[in-house]
Amino acid sequence: GVIRRYSNAELELGVKNIENGGEEFKMLFDATIKKKEKKLNGLKIGGYDTTEAENEIIELKKLFKGN
């Protein structure tokens, strides 16, 4: 068989959801981004390193542009 490596964004949102797209995927995507941005803001307020959280949001947004 073929081994495929998935990005963290693909694992989080689901490859089939991404492939199918549609309004339900948009709602899932929006909720996921909102959750990630809330986490990012909390990290900023707490004075923590935000690099990983920022990269997660960037990866998700790139993935959505492909749909």
Side-chain angles (χ1 to χ4, degrees):
V2 177
I3 296 175
R4 174 142 193 262
R5 301 216 184 266
Y6 296 102
S7 70
N8 289 334
E10 289 173 317
L11 293 173
E12 186 163 4
L13 295 174
V15 175
K16 289 294 181 189
N17 290 334
I18 295 166
E19 289 173 0
N20 293 336
E23 189 59 35
E24 290 178 358
F25 173 73
K26 171 104 173 73
M27 290 176 9
L28 173 64
F29 174 81
D30 289 343
T32 303
I33 289 292
K34 186 175 181 178
K35 180 177 86 174
K36 299 277 184 189
E37 288 175 341
K38 184 176 180 179
K39 175 184 171 184
L40 176 62
N41 289 333
L43 290 170
K44 285 181 180 178
I45 290 169
Y48 293 97
D49 181 17
T50 60
T51 305
E52 185 177 339
E54 290 171 348
N55 288 337
E56 289 175 5
I57 293 170
I58 290 168
E59 184 181 353
L60 285 168
K61 288 183 177 180
K62 283 182 183 176
L63 186 64
F64 188 70
K65 284 183 180 180
N67 268 310

